[in-house]
Amino acid sequence: MKSLDRRDFLKSLAVAGAGVLSPAILNAESKVHAPRISPTLANQYPFFGIHQQGIATPAQKHIYFLVLDLHTSSRAEMKEVFQTWTAYASKLTAGENVAPYGKNLLVPPKDTGEADSLNPYNLTLTFGVGASFFDKLGLKSVRPKSLKDLPHFPRDQLREEFSGGDICIQACADDPQVAFHAVRNLVRVARLKVTMKWSQMGFNSYEGKETPRNLFAFKDGTINPSANELDKVVWVKDGSWLDNGTYLAIRRVQMHLETWDRTHLKGQNDTFGRMRDSGAAYGKNEEFEEADIEARDENGERIMPEDSHVFLAKKTGIQVLRRSFSFASGVDSRTGQFDAGLLFISFQKDPMQFIKIQNALGNVDRMNEYITHIGSGLFACFGGVSKKNGDYIGRALLG
Ligand code: HEM
């Protein structure tokens, strides 16, 4: 209704009330909505492909992560939902609204409209399903054995309101409103079949191609598998319905900023085994020089603290693809402190990769003093969608 002023709107209501629908007014809506800015290839990722976007895609600046519960036990209904989401997602990621506006002013617009005049801002939409999805839809026989609740880890303080769920939608974009608009419209069209369980907004701030700093001010995301390691680390290749997909582990990790801010800089560096300013590992000068966890000084002492986060994670020799975002969600009513931290997200072809690293961090990680894991989820993210033959997200599973 952008350029339709209040008087015109009231007039249209009066006309409708009188039962006389003027064609001029009914047709007005198509004229009042400017088309969305035509996207260029530089600000969008293709929706169709072997893999879903939002996994190997470089992390954008914003995330809206939403977890849904099923409100139906009908596979046919869920198939329809995923077909509609496929059509919507292909439009949204191309910077289009989910449907053109109709001409009738007396029905709600088909698209909620808050991304009108915005480009796609590199929007990616990634869909996954949790273990409970299979139970609720009678699909237990095809649930991968490793798709189950993550085990309880030492020091976990998980809260029900940030854990589990049947379906996840990860919307990432370089603009927060574009990401939110996408999720909002996906939920809106499925609102009789799904309910919202929990969500988290997050952000990554960086200049150019620099590694973003997390809220502890450390560069976060330095070590990740290279493009040619993704088959080994990330993509499922087993001929099942999850072929070319992956597992997404998510943890809502509160970071106790007040405690951290009282820690001297050496203690902060020791926590990670890296230097806060440069991001270089202990004993190295540059961020991307590989850490040597065995290196010793002239006294034979290990250079990298044995309880540092990087020492413990690297020692496992296991890789995952980390794609995390910071969050700041007001004040935690339980503590009166910032409810802020890291929405840790990792992708791996086998959940055990995440589980083994998290177990190794366990009680030992020096970072534990400053963090609490309060949310958790594990989702199987489908392979990508082909442009041909009426393919849709999850077709290999839902038929
Ligand atoms: C608040 C939570 C966390 C924070 C603030 C954090 C921060 C960091 C930082 C600053 C680094 C070094 C730079 C880099 O390579 O990106 C790092 C590395 C790493 N982290 Fe975390 N992390 C967190 C949670 C986790 C969790 C839950 C896991 C997995 C279970 C994990 C796994 C790793 C791995 C595998 C590395 C790379 C180690 C290497 O090979 O050098 N992190 N993290």
Side-chain angles (χ1 to χ4, degrees):
M1 294 263 178
K2 233 180 273 171
S3 61
L4 192 67
D5 71 19
R6 196 176 133 76
R7 225 180 17 201
D8 286 346
F9 179 65
L10 292 175
K11 205 160 78 186
S12 75
L13 288 184
V15 172
V20 187
L21 301 176
S22 143
I25 288 175
L26 290 185
N27 287 333
E29 196 185 6
S30 57
K31 291 181 201 134
V32 300
H33 289 287
R36 288 184 62 174
I37 287 174
S38 40
T40 66
L41 284 177
N43 54 26
Q44 63 175 299
Y45 289 109
F47 175 73
F48 296 99
I50 297 178
H51 306 295
Q52 289 197 76
Q53 293 283 12
I55 300 169
T57 319
Q60 297 92 321
K61 296 197 165 166
H62 299 273
I63 187 170
Y64 194 94
F65 193 92
L66 179 68
V67 178
L68 301 163
D69 273 341
L70 290 181
H71 202 62
T72 172
S73 54
S74 158
R75 248 180 272 171
E77 282 185 2
M78 270 331 284
K79 178 174 167 174
E80 256 176 56
V81 167
F82 275 105
Q83 283 170 325
T84 309
W85 280 351
T86 306
Y88 274 30
S90 67
K91 287 190 185 341
L92 289 162
T93 50
E96 294 168 30
N97 281 344
V98 293
Y101 291 115
K103 293 186 175 170
N104 187 348
L105 281 184
L106 301 177
V107 294
K110 290 196 171 143
D111 190 286
T112 56
E114 71 272 32
D116 285 5
S117 354
L118 295 175
N119 79 58
Y121 279 102
N122 292 317
L123 173 70
T124 56
L125 292 164
T126 318
F127 297 83
V129 288
S132 48
F133 180 89
F134 295 79
D135 302 343
K136 292 185 183 170
L137 291 184
L139 286 166
K140 270 187 189 161
S141 61
V142 286
R143 177 172 64 79
K145 285 198 176 59
S146 47
L147 182 58
K148 53 185 179 200
D149 283 350
L150 290 169
H152 177 85
F153 296 108
R155 303 175 58 100
D156 268 3
Q157 289 188 33
L158 301 186
R159 297 190 198 160
E160 168 59 23
E161 70 261 33
F162 300 121
S163 297
D166 300 335
I167 300 175
C168 75
I169 304 177
Q170 178 196 249
C172 300
D174 287 324
D175 178 274
Q177 191 148 318
V178 165
F180 182 73
H181 167 258
V183 168
R184 177 179 177 188
N185 281 274
L186 293 170
V187 171
R188 183 183 185 219
V189 72
R191 64 187 177 279
L192 298 177
K193 318 285 166 34
V194 293
T195 52
M196 290 189 278
K197 181 169 165 65
W198 66 277
S199 75
Q200 184 61 56
M201 278 179 91
F203 53 88
N204 266 324
S205 292
Y206 50 87
E207 302 292 343
K209 292 196 183 315
E210 277 179 19
T211 313
R213 289 182 188 272
N214 60 33
L215 297 181
F216 287 158
F218 276 75
K219 296 186 177 206
D220 197 330
T222 304
I223 299 298
N224 251 336
S226 62
N228 51 26
E229 288 173 317
L230 295 179
D231 281 341
K232 186 180 76 183
V233 178
V234 175
W235 305 126
V236 172
K237 285 272 173 202
D238 63 0
S240 76
W241 61 266
L242 192 53
D243 216 33
N244 294 316
T246 185
Y247 290 92
L248 178 160
I250 183 161
R251 308 285 286 178
R252 190 184 192 276
V253 187
Q254 265 189 341
M255 291 167 40
H256 308 307
L257 304 183
E258 288 80 359
T259 318
W260 179 257
D261 293 344
R262 287 195 298 269
T263 304
H264 54 63
L265 185 56
K266 181 176 180 304
Q268 296 190 357
N269 291 339
D270 285 349
T271 302
F272 288 101
R274 283 185 176 266
M275 307 302 285
R276 179 172 128 167
D277 55 354
S278 63
Y282 272 26
K284 305 286 172 184
N285 297 313
E286 312 262 339
E287 179 191 355
F288 291 101
E289 271 183 84
E290 198 184 337
D292 179 357
I293 59 171
E294 298 303 339
R296 293 182 185 262
D297 63 17
E298 58 281 5
N299 302 320
E301 300 286 331
R302 215 187 272 282
I303 294 178
M304 179 96 72
E306 289 183 20
D307 58 356
S308 68
H309 182 68
V310 168
F311 179 90
L312 292 165
K314 193 169 166 59
K315 194 170 161 226
T316 62
I318 300 167
Q319 287 174 288
V320 292
L321 171 61
R322 290 176 297 131
R323 203 173 184 281
S324 305
F325 291 78
S326 295
F327 67 85
S329 300
V331 177
D332 182 355
S333 58
R334 299 174 189 210
T335 59
Q337 312 279 24
F338 286 116
D339 179 12
L342 192 76
L343 191 63
F344 173 92
I345 295 176
S346 70
F347 294 99
Q348 46 275 309
K349 66 194 302 183
D350 180 347
M352 280 315 287
Q353 292 162 256
F354 169 81
I355 293 169
K356 283 183 180 163
I357 301 175
Q358 182 58 29
N359 270 329
L361 300 175
N363 269 324
V364 192
D365 191 352
R366 188 186 282 222
M367 188 175 58
N368 284 333
E369 192 184 336
Y370 307 101
I371 62 166
T372 307
H373 287 234
I374 64 166
S376 181
L378 181 69
F379 299 92
C381 295
F382 304 109
V385 182
S386 155
K387 213 170 189 169
K388 296 185 202 141
N389 307 328
D391 196 15
Y392 64 91
I393 303 153
R395 185 186 186 181
L397 177 64
L398 295 168

